[in-house]
Amino acid sequence: MKSLIWKSKENKSIELVEKPIPQIKGSRDAIVKVTLSSICTSDLHIKYGFIPQAKEGITLGHEFVGEIVELGSEIKNLKIGDRVSGNVETFCGECFFCNQGFINNCEKGGWYLGCKIDGAQAEYVRVPFADKGLNKIPEDVSYENALFVGDVLASGYFGAELCELKNEDTLVVIGSGPVGLCTMASAKVMNVNKIIAIDIDNKRLNIAKKQGLADIVLNPNECDIEKEIKRITNSRGADKVVEAAGAKNTFEMAWKIARPNAIIALVGLYEETQNIPLPEMYGKNLTFKTGGVDAIHSDEILKLISDKKINTDFLITQIYSIDEIEKAYEFFETKPEFCLKIAIKN
């Protein structure tokens, strides 16, 4: 089968190669024929050596949908032929952390697909603990509709959930990329009062506005963000902040625009250490929540898509075939044209 591999930390390169179709290894495995996959920024982090746990020679990719073609003997909630979306996390559902809902910290799993074991930027993928890590796609939901359920949409939902949103809250989302936009979409269904989107890319901000995901959009290159947030919130600051950008100065922006006693959810993936200036923050009594996505709400999210309450189809801005995946990576990395997410079609 065709498979996109990360070669090594030394040469920081990828290559489309032929690999054997994966086989069942455990009783809770499933083999999925991949219909669509996507390229994630974290795939680039692997390519350039920023993810120490990534294994050289693995097939990349952790965001996918497809059809089950083979099942392990213990899988009872799925059948061959089911259309499924894949979860970014591999989790057993039985250990201490899984029982607490912290599947990102599963004692037997974590971020495995496309990092520690072969992932889904291929024609087939083996999914361990498939009874937990695969979710049936409703009949009225297309593969395109469901492509982002297990990763980028789950991350956005996770960010909104961390904020403990209330109806009267003003939520600020820093970063209007795919995760930020998915955070806004999720906050909408949680009935937050007002959503303010921040980004330096006006095209992204226009999408947030056009899709009805943000009530107000702000560009830091065109206004003083702190002053604008103060003006909009009667000088209090934001009730809740989701930092979905992970840029050099966005952590500082997040705590500065938050009102006293606010919650700040950090879902962006930083490449550099961030400093917490406690003396400057003293008296604001802020709550910071951090961590990798606990993507435990995939069935709920699929129902929201089925009920037409969430739609992320607009995220797919380019489509490439598996044969063109190296070209797709180059495009995703350099972005010569506007790009949110690329779908890879088998």
Side-chain angles (χ1 to χ4, degrees), residues 11-269:
N11 60 25
K12 297 178 173 59
S13 64
I14 57 174
E15 183 180 1
L16 185 64
V17 301
E18 284 288 332
K19 276 191 174 182
I21 294 174
Q23 303 296 310
I24 295 287
K25 291 184 178 180
S27 58
R28 294 175 67 185
D29 285 358
I31 307 299
V32 177
K33 183 178 181 181
V34 179
T35 305
L36 290 173
S37 63
S38 187
I39 302 172
C40 187
T41 302
S42 54
D43 294 323
L44 297 183
H45 286 140
I46 291 177
K47 179 182 175 184
Y48 288 102
F50 294 126
I51 309 293
Q53 64 268 35
K55 304 296 184 185
E56 295 180 352
I58 58 156
T59 300
L60 292 170
H62 52 269
E63 196 165 44
F64 70 98
V65 288
E67 179 184 327
I68 294 175
V69 295
E70 192 175 354
L71 287 171
S73 59
E74 285 190 47
I75 306 293
K76 306 300 181 187
N77 62 331
L78 300 167
K79 65 181 186 298
I80 292 173
D82 280 345
R83 298 161 63 246
V84 291
S85 65
N87 197 308
V88 63
E89 304 293 351
T90 295
F91 64 104
C92 69
E94 299 168 347
C95 69
F96 171 84
F97 291 107
C98 284
N99 284 327
Q100 300 296 317
F102 306 139
I103 64 172
N104 180 58
N105 306 109
C106 174
E107 295 171 8
K108 300 177 182 178
W111 177 20
Y112 271 50
L113 289 172
C115 181
K116 295 181 179 181
I117 64 174
D118 281 345
Q121 287 169 10
E123 294 180 274
Y124 295 85
V125 61
R126 179 181 70 89
V127 181
F129 300 121
D131 50 335
K132 297 297 181 182
L134 295 175
N135 298 86
K136 287 180 64 173
I137 300 174
E139 290 184 7
D140 59 351
V141 174
S142 70
Y143 281 128
E144 288 79 7
N145 297 156
L147 178 56
F148 306 114
V149 166
D151 183 17
V152 68
L153 182 49
S155 297
Y157 195 96
F158 177 64
E161 182 185 38
L162 288 178
C163 285
E164 302 175 24
L165 295 172
K166 299 176 182 177
N167 291 352
E168 66 271 18
D169 282 344
T170 293
L171 168 68
V172 175
V173 179
I174 302 175
S176 296
V179 172
L181 292 167
C182 288
T183 300
M184 298 174 214
S186 301
K188 281 285 183 182
V189 301
M190 297 177 189
N191 296 317
V192 68
N193 178 49
K194 186 181 294 180
I195 299 175
I196 301 171
I198 296 176
D199 204 285
I200 59 174
D201 187 332
N202 282 326
K203 289 182 178 179
R204 290 184 170 191
L205 292 175
N206 288 338
I207 287 177
K209 196 72 173 175
K210 183 178 179 180
Q211 294 293 327
L213 302 178
D215 302 291
I216 299 169
V217 297
L218 300 174
N219 186 327
N221 293 331
E222 298 174 2
C223 68
D224 185 314
I225 291 295
E226 289 183 60
K227 287 183 179 179
E228 280 299 298
I229 297 298
K230 287 282 189 181
R231 181 186 66 78
I232 294 166
T233 60
N234 297 319
S235 297
R236 289 192 300 271
D239 300 299
K240 310 289 167 61
V241 180
V242 174
E243 208 294 78
K248 192 169 186 178
N249 64 339
T250 48
F251 173 76
E252 180 181 35
M253 179 188 294
W255 69 260
K256 283 189 172 181
I257 64 175
R259 67 159 169 79
N261 305 288
I263 294 175
I264 300 172
L266 305 171
V267 297
L269 182 59

